[in-house]
Amino acid sequence: MTLYPEAESVARARRRFRKFLEPYDLSCSLDDCVLMISELVTNAILYGEAEEAWRVRVEWWQVGASLRVDVHNPGFPANVRMRQPAADEAHGRGLRLVNELASSWSAEPSPLGGTMVSFSMDGAWKV
């Protein structure tokens, strides 16, 4: 899915992802996956940057029994890091949530240019 870098795109990503995966009998929590999509798309919108118009790209697929999700933006991979927000800070916990909920996650240069942040849910599908 390709999204504009605007706040409404986060809800759009959640709806499309949920609609696509609801028919499957997943072994993992769909709500957890939707939450992680929200966090990664939000980060992509907040931290992606380019001189020309750009989009956020979200891809998901089955790899064996696992679900893999990639979120691409034109930001710099070196800028992706888990923060340690103060208790009174409203933001900065997205990657910590992904780290806790996903089987694994990574941030690396995107083959499309920019950054790709991914997560996997092992055993999401019964094989």
Side-chain angles (χ1 to χ4, degrees):
M1 121 180 63
T2 303
L3 304 162
Y4 290 99
E6 57 193 26
E8 297 81 26
S9 290
V10 177
R12 189 171 295 118
R14 285 192 303 258
R15 282 191 308 270
R16 286 185 188 171
F17 183 78
R18 184 177 292 281
K19 184 177 180 177
F20 181 80
L21 288 176
E22 272 184 337
Y24 296 95
D25 185 22
L26 295 178
S27 296
C28 65
S29 167
L30 182 57
D31 290 336
D32 286 352
C33 292
V34 169
L35 175 61
M36 290 187 286
I37 289 269
S38 276
E39 295 299 334
L40 294 186
V41 170
T42 297
N43 286 350
I45 291 168
L46 290 175
Y47 303 114
E49 54 186 72
E51 292 181 17
E52 66 280 343
W54 58 278
R55 304 284 188 275
V56 173
R57 181 166 176 84
V58 182
E59 303 171 317
W60 58 81
W61 60 88
Q62 182 177 351
V63 179
S66 297
L67 168 67
R68 180 181 167 113
V69 176
D70 296 339
V71 178
H72 304 263
N73 75 69
F76 299 100
N79 293 342
V80 178
R81 60 180 167 64
M82 275 198 287
R83 293 186 51 221
Q84 186 64 34
D88 62 343
E89 284 186 83
H91 303 284
R93 292 171 181 79
L95 286 179
R96 291 205 172 277
L97 284 169
V98 173
N99 188 58
E100 290 299 315
L101 297 173
S103 301
S104 62
W105 73 275
S106 64
E108 58 196 69
S110 169
L112 307 174
T115 299
M116 178 177 73
V117 181
S118 306
F119 72 83
S120 293
M121 295 296 284
D122 294 344
W125 272 279
K126 299 170 187 161
V127 180

